Amino acid sequence: MGTTKISGAEAVIKCLLEEGVDLVYGYPGGAIMPVYDELYKFKDQLHHVLVRHEQGATHAAQGYARATGKVGVAIATSGPGATNLVTGIADAQIDSTPMICITGQVGKHLLGSDAFQETDIIGISTPVTKWNYQITEASEIPDIIAKAFYIARSGRPGPVLIDITKNAQFDEIEFSYKKCTSIRSYNPKPILNLEKVAAAAELINKAKKPFILFGQGVILSEAEAELKALVEKSGIPAAWTILGLSALPTDHPLNVGMLGMHGNYGPNVLTNECDVLIALGMRFDDRVTGNLATYAKQAKVIHFEIDPAEVDKNVKTTVAVLADLKESLTALLPLIDNNTHESWHNEFKEKYEIELEAVINDELQPKKEGISMGETIEMINKHSKGDAIMVSDVGQHQMFACRYAKFNSTKSNVTSGGLGTMGFALPAAIGAKMGMPDREVVAIIGDGGFQMTIQELGTIFQTKVPVKIVVLNNEFLGMVRQWQQLFFDKRYASTEMINPNFIAIAEGYYIKAKKVTKREDLDAAVAEMMASKESYFLEVMVEKENNVFPMIPTGASVSDIRLS
């Protein structure tokens, strides 16, 4: 394309448009004001959502990215504006979420002088970004932004931060834009080794008790169809990490449930009884493995992974297949024998019956007077029919949501996994709904996490985005309280919450709100919420001391999972 002389600030907007961006989240301030001035001029092409706190911008961008598979974009000013992005950036880094953060910075001549609202955001964000860069000259803007988008979305995705000094926003350049397709020394997709695929297939075909563990890599590589084909052809039971949830429909007969600390009984116990463990796009997080010294020592381990840093990091592999997962599973499928593994499946069914009797029936059909979190999730399932995007915060309600939510399609479970960020859900639900306006989006939040980003109700009010918000209120920091009950002799140190009137607050933002305290009112309230064409706030008063089980205590083996 031809060149035109424009300001650096206008170049930023044009770069975003060239990358197909039509929605950004942010909060203006002095050092980023030139970019906001251009946003105003381009508002018909690039929609800006004014959040109420910069952390909300990152979580909204994350929710948008996770629900759509596109790159989310957040914008903030220098100093506190930039530092307020850091939690969301760290969350995106550990959960492999593609995101671009653009921050303003003081003028080049003021760098290092402790000028007003100057902060070394490059130094601060280096450990929690996939890449970052400070632009000090307007001429750098097109190439750096092109590079940023390529890095954020390629290979194992992640967040990129671009810091732009104020002089670079004002100065003029001859603008032209070329998308980045490669960077020297950066190899985001390892070249598939077909010999490794063949070795993996041989182990799988010989296995008597093979077990698939799948993570978010399936979703990021868009390998859902290949995963489904693999489990159906091989007959291998498959369990998921919480970020892998929804890659395979929850009611699929070969989907045996959730791994990890609060996962299902069978998948955890039988991890230590399988003979071949097949890990697909997951990183053997400590919440999945428990004590590594006793984790799957009897099994040959096959690890399909795109990031070489994750292979042999926690669990020693027998065969490692380094490649994009969609590509590697496509190569694997023709080599896999048809099988059913019926007797092996029966072991999972037996373990499920134990869990059903000991945990699930009491949670979904409680005999106590108080409402349980699990039955609330089940009621949402009844009215969503498994078609909603569920955005959960962090805590007990998150584990209940992941354990009991039903999903028919991929990219339906949006939650903070590796970082465990309270306050994630409300802004992330805004981003998910804006990214997928035709899908119902339900935020499941605890009374603690809700108050960390409660101000984003203002964003919902101003934008009229029709998200559904469910606060499961037990008047405790529930997960911490559970640990205090089980491991600290019920010393509930600083975990009881004295909460405000959430209904009045929601109504103060002109959001329709309802509070449920009795079981007989729950069905009608959820039905009304799901039928609403506008945003809706539902507070459900749940049992104060309801615990999430099963549970693997910290440092214990997956075989030592507790049912009570």
Side-chain angles (χ1 to χ4, degrees):
M1 60 182 289
T3 59
T4 310
K5 205 160 192 179
I6 60 173
S7 70
E10 185 177 348
V12 170
I13 304 304
K14 289 201 167 186
C15 290
L16 295 177
L17 292 172
E18 289 280 353
E19 290 291 344
V21 177
D22 57 9
L23 178 65
V24 299
Y25 299 89
Y27 204 96
I32 197 68
M33 209 173 294
V35 168
Y36 269 84
D37 190 51
E38 295 299 333
L39 268 171
Y40 182 80
K41 298 173 187 176
F42 284 86
K43 60 186 176 184
D44 291 337
Q45 295 169 260
L46 185 56
H47 179 50
H48 176 270
V49 176
L50 176 65
V51 294
R52 296 305 185 262
H53 188 285
E54 291 89 352
Q55 182 181 342
T58 52
H59 293 329
Q62 285 179 276
Y64 174 88
R66 293 270 291 277
T68 64
K70 300 176 183 177
V71 178
V73 180
I75 303 177
T77 193
S78 62
T83 58
N84 282 344
L85 299 175
V86 172
T87 296
I89 293 170
D91 195 286
Q93 172 78 343
I94 201 165
D95 282 354
S96 305
T97 304
M99 181 168 70
I100 302 291
C101 291
I102 296 171
T103 54
Q105 185 55 275
V106 300
K108 179 182 176 181
H109 68 290
L110 291 173
L111 290 173
S113 71
D114 291 334
F116 178 66
Q117 291 193 332
E118 181 195 0
T119 299
D120 179 13
I121 193 60
I122 295 297
I124 290 169
S125 66
T126 293
V128 293
T129 48
K130 190 175 177 184
W131 183 62
N132 65 12
Y133 189 89
Q134 185 175 74
I135 293 174
T136 59
E137 302 290 341
S139 59
E140 298 179 285
I141 288 171
D143 286 347
I144 294 302
I145 292 182
K147 188 175 178 181
F149 273 89
Y150 175 64
I151 291 172
R153 64 164 67 104
S154 60
R156 181 180 179 175
V160 173
L161 182 136
I162 303 301
D163 193 42
I164 311 176
T165 58
K166 202 164 184 180
N167 62 285
Q169 298 172 52
F170 277 124
D171 291 344
E172 291 193 334
I173 59 167
E174 296 285 342
F175 180 77
S176 65
Y177 193 79
K178 182 181 179 183
K179 285 190 179 182
C180 181
T181 56
S182 66
I183 300 170
R184 190 177 65 178
S185 79
Y186 171 57
N187 301 303
K189 281 175 61 171
I191 298 171
L192 180 63
N193 184 330
L194 292 175
E195 291 181 4
K196 296 284 188 181
V197 176
E202 185 177 3
L203 285 176
I204 292 168
N205 289 335
K206 289 180 178 178
K208 302 300 181 188
K209 294 184 173 184
F211 187 22
I212 289 173
L213 316 181
F214 64 91
Q216 190 186 202
V218 176
I219 296 169
L220 294 174
S221 64
E222 299 183 335
E224 295 92 344
E226 289 75 14
L227 169 65
K228 185 170 180 283
L230 174 63
V231 297
E232 290 178 351
K233 184 176 184 182
S234 66
I236 300 174
W240 37 268
T241 69
I242 64 168
L243 294 186
L245 173 56
S246 82
L248 188 69
T250 46
D251 63 355
H252 192 286
L254 293 167
N255 186 336
V256 294
M258 175 175 160
L259 298 160
M261 180 173 279
H262 292 289
N264 293 105
Y265 185 59
N268 279 297
V269 170
L270 296 176
T271 293
N272 280 359
E273 296 182 25
C274 68
D275 56 0
V276 174
L277 194 66
I278 306 144
L280 306 178
M282 53 87 72
R283 59 188 178 86
F284 291 109
D285 174 75
D286 63 293
R287 287 296 170 104
V288 164
T289 65
N291 187 349
L292 284 168
T294 58
Y295 182 78
K297 293 301 178 183
Q298 80 295 338
K300 293 184 170 73
V301 178
I302 304 168
H303 197 173
F304 288 80
E305 176 59 50
I306 197 168
D307 185 354
E310 295 297 347
V311 173
D312 294 329
K313 184 177 83 173
N314 295 325
V315 174
K316 184 69 178 173
T317 56
T318 309
V319 176
V321 182
L322 274 169
D324 175 80
L325 191 59
K326 189 179 185 73
E327 185 181 351
S328 57
L329 290 185
T330 299
L332 177 72
L333 275 166
L335 307 179
I336 296 298
D337 295 339
N338 288 295
N339 210 325
T340 58
H341 294 290
E342 187 175 351
S343 61
W344 177 226
H345 270 287
N346 287 336
E347 293 190 42
F348 283 90
K349 291 175 184 176
E350 289 166 10
K351 294 291 189 291
Y352 179 75
E353 289 300 321
I354 293 170
E355 183 180 351
L356 188 68
E357 181 66 27
V359 177
I360 297 172
N361 285 340
D362 285 343
E363 183 60 41
L364 299 188
Q365 300 167 354
K367 299 176 179 63
K368 297 179 184 177
E369 183 178 330
I371 302 169
S372 76
M373 293 191 188
E375 71 177 306
T376 307
I377 302 300
E378 186 76 344
M379 190 63 72
I380 293 169
N381 290 333
K382 173 184 173 182
H383 293 282
S384 73
K385 304 291 192 290
D387 292 328
I389 295 173
M390 301 273 265
V391 185
S392 54
D393 213 82
V394 171
Q396 284 183 318
H397 65 278
Q398 176 192 35
M399 293 298 102
F400 280 115
C402 289
R403 281 179 53 80
Y404 297 113
K406 302 297 184 187
F407 298 115
N408 299 324
S409 56
T410 189
K411 297 187 180 73
S412 294
N413 178 55
V414 178
T415 194
S416 174
L419 197 65
T421 304
M422 291 176 69
F424 172 87
L426 186 60
I430 294 170
K433 182 62 179 178
M434 287 183 167
M436 301 296 288
D438 294 334
R439 294 193 65 186
E440 202 67 75
V441 174
V442 182
I444 309 293
I445 317 177
D447 49 312
F450 179 56
Q451 293 178 82
M452 289 196 171
T453 50
I454 194 170
Q455 69 278 354
E456 298 309 328
L457 292 174
T459 307
I460 293 170
F461 165 55
Q462 184 165 342
T463 61
K464 308 301 181 192
V465 59
V467 297
K468 310 299 166 60
I469 307 153
V470 180
V471 168
L472 302 180
N473 185 357
N474 58 8
E475 299 179 318
F476 268 113
L477 297 176
M479 187 61 84
V480 183
R481 185 213 54 77
Q482 177 170 335
W483 283 52
Q484 289 171 334
Q485 177 185 340
L486 298 176
F487 308 117
F488 293 87
D489 296 325
K490 292 191 175 182
R491 292 188 295 276
Y492 294 160
S494 301
T495 47
E496 188 167 7
M497 303 285 287
I498 306 300
N499 289 317
N501 184 335
F502 290 136
I503 300 299
I505 291 170
E507 289 177 341
Y509 285 103
Y510 302 96
I511 295 169
K512 186 168 184 180
K514 181 165 283 189
K515 183 174 183 174
V516 173
T517 59
K518 297 178 181 178
R519 177 172 289 114
E520 55 265 31
D521 298 330
L522 183 62
D523 193 343
V526 172
E528 181 180 310
M529 176 185 74
M530 297 302 286
S532 175
K533 301 300 182 185
E534 300 175 345
S535 55
Y536 193 107
F537 178 86
L538 179 64
E539 179 183 11
V540 182
M541 301 303 296
V542 294
E543 290 180 45
K544 288 175 71 75
E545 296 185 83
N546 186 29
N547 289 332
V548 194
F549 285 105
M551 180 180 184
I552 303 169
T554 301
S557 167
V558 291
S559 299
D560 297 328
I561 188 168
R562 294 173 52 169
L563 290 168
S564 63

